[in-house]
Amino acid sequence: MVEPAIVARGLTKNFGDLRAVDDLDLEIRQGETLGLLGPNGAGKSTTINLMLGLSRPSAGSVRIFGHAPQAREARQTTGYVAQDSDFPPNLTAAEILDLVRSHYPDPAPRDELIDHFDLASLTGRQVGGFSGGQRRRLALALAFAGRGRIVFLDEPTTGLDRDARRAFWAFARRFMDAGGTLLLTTHQLEEVEAVADRVCLIDQGRIRLEGTVGEIRRRVAQKQVRFACDDLPELGPVSRVERDNGVVTITTPDADALVRELVGGGAQFRDLEIRSASLEEAIEQLSDNSGGEAP
């Protein structure tokens, strides 16, 4: 039996009276990409920090390929992209790449990293003058500089343009095809669909839903239909109805069917607007439906 890449059991982290991670059990297989999703403040970044050994749990345990996160054996097999990356402003990109690579026994070649992350024009420049997107590309290169078997990606494509995001997704898929393991946090369903095998929805430090990308996508694929209406007719099943000063917002998996129902029912509505519900809104609805308990 192949040893899991990550095993967390009863993982808990308290900050005073706040429980950021609550008795979390999670296992990630080697070669798998797990998308860890949830609203802001759900406990995603805290979970990653615990798994990296950057923070110690209040209870429970984490093992990275069988080792404690602080152990050299674990640290030399992992890479990490934080939500915000800070670099010494007077160092060049090449100097920072070499500095990080020097801490690993078998680092990726510098030229390979420069090519993969489009850094050729930046290597001799001091990073203090980089744009946000340029700094992000450097941070991504550093995460893979040590040829880690598992890489933690906390909102990895924040600040990247669409072409750069797609280029990174293609690189991530090649990493996975070669047997690498990824743990990804993001608010972008498109990003999850591009790279993840399995998804966990986390809220208030607990896993609320878990499944393949297709399974979760079907659960959170909601639309919001907003319009002004003084007299709303009876409607078929929908996920949520909200009213605010004559404006009705309905969350539903089938916006077209809802609009047809409104027209057929003679509803006098105006200012119709349809948009995709955000991931945070969808997770909030799923959590409400489950009564705040993980299924």
Side-chain angles (χ1 to χ4, degrees), residues 16 34 44 63 131 166 188 196 198 225 281:
L34 177 73
K44 303 184 300 296
R63 289 294 180 268
S131 68
R166 290 185 177 277
Q188 301 181 50
R198 186 162 56 96
V225 181
E281 290 163 338

PDB file of all heavy atoms in Angstrom, residues 16 34 44 63 131 166 188 196 198 225 281:
ATOM      1  N   GLY A  16      -6.849  31.819  21.219  1.00  0.00           N
ATOM      2  CA  GLY A  16      -7.689  32.296  22.305  1.00  0.00           C
ATOM      3  C   GLY A  16      -9.012  31.547  22.298  1.00  0.00           C
ATOM      4  O   GLY A  16      -9.042  30.311  22.321  1.00  0.00           O
ATOM      5  N   LEU A  34      -5.541  18.107  -4.271  1.00  0.00           N
ATOM      6  CA  LEU A  34      -6.727  18.398  -3.472  1.00  0.00           C
ATOM      7  C   LEU A  34      -6.965  19.902  -3.469  1.00  0.00           C
ATOM      8  O   LEU A  34      -6.060  20.680  -3.158  1.00  0.00           O
ATOM      9  CB  LEU A  34      -6.540  17.913  -2.034  1.00  0.00           C
ATOM     10  CG  LEU A  34      -7.711  18.234  -1.097  1.00  0.00           C
ATOM     11  CD1 LEU A  34      -8.911  17.345  -1.418  1.00  0.00           C
ATOM     12  CD2 LEU A  34      -7.321  18.085   0.363  1.00  0.00           C
ATOM     13  N   LYS A  44      -8.598  27.788   5.997  1.00  0.00           N
ATOM     14  CA  LYS A  44      -7.771  27.168   4.961  1.00  0.00           C
ATOM     15  C   LYS A  44      -6.287  27.460   5.178  1.00  0.00           C
ATOM     16  O   LYS A  44      -5.461  26.534   5.184  1.00  0.00           O
ATOM     17  CB  LYS A  44      -8.194  27.665   3.568  1.00  0.00           C
ATOM     18  CG  LYS A  44      -9.654  27.436   3.226  1.00  0.00           C
ATOM     19  CD  LYS A  44      -9.985  27.849   1.820  1.00  0.00           C
ATOM     20  CE  LYS A  44      -9.722  29.316   1.517  1.00  0.00           C
ATOM     21  NZ  LYS A  44     -10.577  30.222   2.307  1.00  0.00           N
ATOM     22  N   ARG A  63       1.234  14.417   9.563  1.00  0.00           N
ATOM     23  CA  ARG A  63       2.419  13.726   9.071  1.00  0.00           C
ATOM     24  C   ARG A  63       2.540  13.972   7.572  1.00  0.00           C
ATOM     25  O   ARG A  63       1.575  13.833   6.826  1.00  0.00           O
ATOM     26  CB  ARG A  63       2.343  12.222   9.349  1.00  0.00           C
ATOM     27  CG  ARG A  63       2.505  11.867  10.813  1.00  0.00           C
ATOM     28  CD  ARG A  63       3.905  12.204  11.318  1.00  0.00           C
ATOM     29  NE  ARG A  63       4.110  11.884  12.723  1.00  0.00           N
ATOM     30  CZ  ARG A  63       3.916  12.729  13.719  1.00  0.00           C
ATOM     31  NH1 ARG A  63       3.472  13.950  13.455  1.00  0.00           N
ATOM     32  NH2 ARG A  63       4.160  12.361  14.961  1.00  0.00           N
ATOM     33  N   SER A 131       6.456  44.158 -10.476  1.00  0.00           N
ATOM     34  CA  SER A 131       5.008  44.288 -10.333  1.00  0.00           C
ATOM     35  C   SER A 131       4.477  43.121  -9.508  1.00  0.00           C
ATOM     36  O   SER A 131       5.190  42.140  -9.240  1.00  0.00           O
ATOM     37  CB  SER A 131       4.341  44.282 -11.709  1.00  0.00           C
ATOM     38  OG  SER A 131       4.463  42.997 -12.315  1.00  0.00           O
ATOM     39  N   ARG A 166      -3.267  30.418 -16.927  1.00  0.00           N
ATOM     40  CA  ARG A 166      -3.412  29.207 -17.729  1.00  0.00           C
ATOM     41  C   ARG A 166      -2.068  28.501 -17.916  1.00  0.00           C
ATOM     42  O   ARG A 166      -2.005  27.262 -17.931  1.00  0.00           O
ATOM     43  CB  ARG A 166      -4.036  29.555 -19.081  1.00  0.00           C
ATOM     44  CG  ARG A 166      -5.504  29.964 -18.961  1.00  0.00           C
ATOM     45  CD  ARG A 166      -6.149  30.179 -20.315  1.00  0.00           C
ATOM     46  NE  ARG A 166      -7.552  30.505 -20.175  1.00  0.00           N
ATOM     47  CZ  ARG A 166      -8.524  29.621 -20.012  1.00  0.00           C
ATOM     48  NH1 ARG A 166      -8.217  28.330 -19.952  1.00  0.00           N
ATOM     49  NH2 ARG A 166      -9.778  29.993 -19.898  1.00  0.00           N
ATOM     50  N   GLN A 188     -11.390  30.342  -6.874  1.00  0.00           N
ATOM     51  CA  GLN A 188     -11.741  30.234  -8.283  1.00  0.00           C
ATOM     52  C   GLN A 188     -12.125  28.793  -8.643  1.00  0.00           C
ATOM     53  O   GLN A 188     -11.274  27.902  -8.657  1.00  0.00           O
ATOM     54  CB  GLN A 188     -10.568  30.657  -9.159  1.00  0.00           C
ATOM     55  CG  GLN A 188     -10.094  32.079  -8.938  1.00  0.00           C
ATOM     56  CD  GLN A 188      -8.941  32.419  -9.858  1.00  0.00           C
ATOM     57  OE1 GLN A 188      -8.997  32.197 -11.063  1.00  0.00           O
ATOM     58  NE2 GLN A 188      -7.877  32.967  -9.297  1.00  0.00           N
ATOM     59  N   ALA A 196      -7.522  20.220 -10.032  1.00  0.00           N
ATOM     60  CA  ALA A 196      -7.795  19.385  -8.856  1.00  0.00           C
ATOM     61  C   ALA A 196      -8.466  18.069  -9.227  1.00  0.00           C
ATOM     62  O   ALA A 196      -9.242  17.982 -10.173  1.00  0.00           O
ATOM     63  CB  ALA A 196      -8.659  20.132  -7.844  1.00  0.00           C
ATOM     64  N   ARG A 198      -9.762  16.189  -6.400  1.00  0.00           N
ATOM     65  CA  ARG A 198     -10.733  16.062  -5.308  1.00  0.00           C
ATOM     66  C   ARG A 198     -10.846  17.406  -4.612  1.00  0.00           C
ATOM     67  O   ARG A 198      -9.911  18.220  -4.624  1.00  0.00           O
ATOM     68  CB  ARG A 198     -10.256  14.985  -4.326  1.00  0.00           C
ATOM     69  CG  ARG A 198     -11.239  14.637  -3.222  1.00  0.00           C
ATOM     70  CD  ARG A 198     -10.887  13.286  -2.582  1.00  0.00           C
ATOM     71  NE  ARG A 198      -9.524  13.256  -2.067  1.00  0.00           N
ATOM     72  CZ  ARG A 198      -9.199  13.494  -0.793  1.00  0.00           C
ATOM     73  NH1 ARG A 198     -10.133  13.787   0.098  1.00  0.00           N
ATOM     74  NH2 ARG A 198      -7.932  13.425  -0.409  1.00  0.00           N
ATOM     75  N   VAL A 225     -30.663  35.140  -9.373  1.00  0.00           N
ATOM     76  CA  VAL A 225     -31.571  35.918 -10.218  1.00  0.00           C
ATOM     77  C   VAL A 225     -32.120  37.054  -9.359  1.00  0.00           C
ATOM     78  O   VAL A 225     -32.789  36.803  -8.348  1.00  0.00           O
ATOM     79  CB  VAL A 225     -32.712  35.040 -10.761  1.00  0.00           C
ATOM     80  CG1 VAL A 225     -33.632  35.860 -11.669  1.00  0.00           C
ATOM     81  CG2 VAL A 225     -32.152  33.836 -11.509  1.00  0.00           C
ATOM     82  N   GLU A 281     -20.894  32.278  -1.477  1.00  0.00           N
ATOM     83  CA  GLU A 281     -22.348  32.219  -1.317  1.00  0.00           C
ATOM     84  C   GLU A 281     -22.856  30.794  -1.436  1.00  0.00           C
ATOM     85  O   GLU A 281     -23.748  30.370  -0.700  1.00  0.00           O
ATOM     86  CB  GLU A 281     -23.001  33.113  -2.377  1.00  0.00           C
ATOM     87  CG  GLU A 281     -22.779  34.582  -2.130  1.00  0.00           C
ATOM     88  CD  GLU A 281     -23.057  35.425  -3.358  1.00  0.00           C
ATOM     89  OE1 GLU A 281     -23.025  34.893  -4.480  1.00  0.00           O
ATOM     90  OE2 GLU A 281     -23.292  36.631  -3.183  1.00  0.00           O
TER      91      GLU A 281
END
